[in-house]
Amino acid sequence: MSTHRYDPPGAGHPDERAEWPSYGVPEQRAQEADGRDGWAAQAAQVEGPGQTGPAPKPARDRYLDLLRSLALLRVVAYHVFGWAWLTLVFPSMGVMFALAGSLMARSLKRPAWGVIRGRLRRLLPPVWLFAAVILPLMFWGGWKPARDLGGTWLLNLFMYLVPVGAPPYPGSVGDPTGLFEGSWAEQAVGPLWYIRAYLWFVIASPLLLWAFRRAPWPTLLAPLALTAIVGTGLVTIPGETGLAVTDFAVYGACWILGFAHQDGLLRRVPRHLVVSLAAMVMGFGLWWASGHLGPEGWDLNEIPLAQATWSLGFVVILLVYAPSWRQLPPKLAGYGKLITLSNNRAVTIYLWHNMLIMCAERIVDRAWDIPYVGDHFSERIESTYSLWTFVLVMPLIGLTILAVGWAEDLAAKRRPQLWPNGTGRKTGSHTR
């Protein structure tokens, strides 16, 4: 399994996620007096002839749910197969940041501090549960942060509680279970880069939204300009600070694009013009990538400016042509429960998927030890190794949802559920 710095950088990246972030996990009830918000719920007062008082809670937009689910699936597939072209076919992180930005803009109709506090409350408990498993394993494997990190070791470990910076991990550490290679910690902790980027965006959103509503186009394009400075080597910021600033720049335009989607800016521009400009931005991204290919070829995760421009143009087109689905169309209806489940457990899936991929690989490795199978089918197993890993990681994800997914419900102050796939919930009609 290969590791990359950008999708996700390091080893995972939170989506993702995430609102998956959208890390926001969908609310399954109307907003309550404490001001909690969900993905598809927003408090509204609607008055008109014959109607006063609160409007009913709007139905979830199943198109956006579908995009989140596809983004998560693509992240898992990318880390199993390592196919660079997946970053072109579907830029998952840009999609997830855009959806999260749209939700954040809607939430900021309420006081900013309450919104930020609510986002942290929803996000951090699943991260703490993840850290409560991973950190003891690293300590048990022989990692001594006080020795390796020096006098700042306690402050560095604090990043596992509030990951505004990069949580530390050993480059090589023993595995007390005897299953994994020495770099397992790097693989497992890698996805936390997305949590850091998401927190940065959440904290900066009140200021970003203020700027966007006063100068929308300059604010939308400013992250691309910053990427051209810090993501091309023109200006180099060393260490983790440089990586964090680059992440913020690369996906900043997608986050602010979420503001534009929420405020209806894209609808006020002729569609043919929006699509033409998006295609030009994507074309620039391809042109830039062609001249800056790295060891992984067309992997945009390794080419920040190409990632930023391709993701922005791609997401613009997804949002410009976005339908409004209260229900999935008939051809997709069979996937409805899986889509609902993956949205309700987006944080869990993203945080744990790299660890689960390593577990699936070890299960496949055991096939060589099975009498007769290893002797007669070794070449076939080797040629389909990644495929079997992908197949096996899916039930492992399901088991992890059952084991630790409830933390997302507790974080959102909901009744914990083992398998929240929407069974029994009423849905509206399908509209476009």
Side-chain angles (χ1 to χ4, degrees):
M1 178 178 64
S2 60
T3 61
H4 298 275
R5 175 61 203 143
Y6 271 99
D7 182 30
H13 98 61
D15 28 222
E16 130 257 142
R17 59 322 213 140
E19 290 112 69
W20 192 117
S22 148
Y23 263 90
V25 189
E27 286 284 1
Q28 297 183 5
R29 58 177 181 268
Q31 288 180 307
E32 298 178 356
D34 64 357
R36 294 197 295 272
D37 70 317
W39 276 358
Q42 60 176 322
Q45 297 290 332
V46 178
E47 296 191 11
Q51 180 180 4
T52 59
K57 183 181 73 170
R60 292 178 58 84
D61 190 329
R62 298 295 278 167
Y63 175 71
L64 301 186
D65 286 351
L66 174 63
L67 291 183
R68 283 189 200 93
S69 297
L70 290 175
L72 283 169
L73 180 64
R74 209 284 283 152
V75 167
V76 175
Y78 173 80
H79 289 119
V80 171
F81 296 102
W83 293 331
W85 53 266
L86 286 174
T87 63
L88 290 166
V89 171
F90 197 85
S92 291
M93 308 318 297
V95 170
M96 291 191 288
F97 278 119
L99 298 179
S102 177
L103 294 166
M104 191 68 186
R106 185 179 63 195
S107 297
L108 283 172
K109 295 174 182 177
R110 305 196 313 274
W113 170 242
V115 174
I116 293 173
R117 183 179 58 191
R119 287 291 186 270
L120 293 177
R121 171 177 57 78
R122 288 168 175 269
L123 176 64
L124 292 180
V127 175
W128 296 340
L129 182 57
F130 176 78
V133 174
I134 297 300
L135 278 174
L137 286 177
M138 290 192 291
F139 297 152
W140 190 10
W143 184 42
K144 294 179 171 52
R147 177 195 64 195
D148 297 341
L149 302 176
T152 62
W153 69 274
L154 193 57
L155 178 62
N156 284 312
L157 289 183
F158 179 76
M159 297 303 169
Y160 281 96
L161 297 179
V162 183
V164 292
Y169 54 83
S172 179
V173 66
D175 169 28
T177 68
L179 292 176
F180 307 130
E181 59 184 14
S183 64
W184 71 268
E186 179 180 0
Q187 299 287 330
V189 176
L192 292 181
W193 80 266
Y194 182 86
I195 309 299
R196 177 197 64 201
Y198 178 77
L199 288 181
W200 278 42
F201 282 125
V202 165
I203 293 169
S205 280
L207 178 60
L208 291 175
L209 187 59
W210 176 88
F212 171 77
R213 287 174 173 167
R214 283 154 182 79
W217 297 109
T219 305
L220 178 62
L221 298 176
L224 296 183
L226 181 59
T227 304
I229 295 172
V230 301
T232 62
L234 185 62
V235 173
T236 301
I237 303 175
E240 288 296 333
T241 300
L243 294 175
V245 171
T246 302
D247 291 339
F248 189 86
V250 167
Y251 297 106
C254 289
W255 185 274
I256 296 170
L257 182 63
F259 296 171
H261 175 68
Q262 176 64 32
D263 286 4
L265 177 65
L266 297 178
R267 293 192 297 271
R268 297 195 292 269
V269 181
R271 179 178 290 181
H272 70 274
L273 179 59
V274 173
V275 174
S276 298
L277 292 174
M280 291 173 61
V281 171
M282 294 172 71
F284 171 82
L286 290 180
W287 171 78
W288 182 265
S290 68
H292 298 82
L293 300 179
E296 303 297 329
W298 284 86
D299 192 331
L300 299 188
N301 297 319
E302 307 295 336
I303 314 171
L305 186 57
Q307 176 75 288
T309 50
W310 179 264
S311 296
L312 176 63
F314 192 98
V315 176
V316 164
I317 293 174
L318 286 179
L319 295 180
V320 164
Y321 286 101
S324 179
W325 290 344
R326 291 172 182 252
Q327 280 188 345
L328 293 167
K331 291 183 178 180
L332 297 174
Y335 301 99
K337 292 180 180 179
L338 285 176
I339 291 172
T340 299
L341 178 67
S342 63
N343 275 261
N344 281 327
R345 292 294 181 258
V347 183
T348 299
I349 294 170
Y350 186 76
L351 284 174
W352 292 90
H353 79 274
N354 258 10
M355 197 73 175
L356 299 177
I357 290 172
M358 288 188 286
C359 292
E361 289 175 337
R362 299 294 81 78
I363 294 173
V364 178
D365 289 343
R366 294 298 182 266
W368 274 278
D369 299 331
I370 300 175
Y372 186 82
V373 173
D375 295 334
H376 294 83
F377 297 99
S378 59
E379 292 185 4
R380 184 166 298 180
I381 294 172
E382 186 172 357
S383 64
T384 59
Y385 186 90
S386 295
L387 178 60
W388 284 112
T389 300
F390 186 74
V391 169
L392 289 170
V393 80
M394 294 303 165
L396 293 179
I397 289 174
L399 290 174
T400 302
I401 288 173
L402 291 171
V404 299
W406 48 265
E408 296 194 51
D409 292 328
L410 293 181
K413 296 186 176 180
R414 293 193 303 264
R415 178 176 58 84
Q417 298 183 67
L418 289 178
W419 198 254
N421 64 353
T423 302
R425 296 180 61 192
K426 295 182 179 180
T427 57
S429 60
H430 169 232
T431 61
R432 283 190 72 91

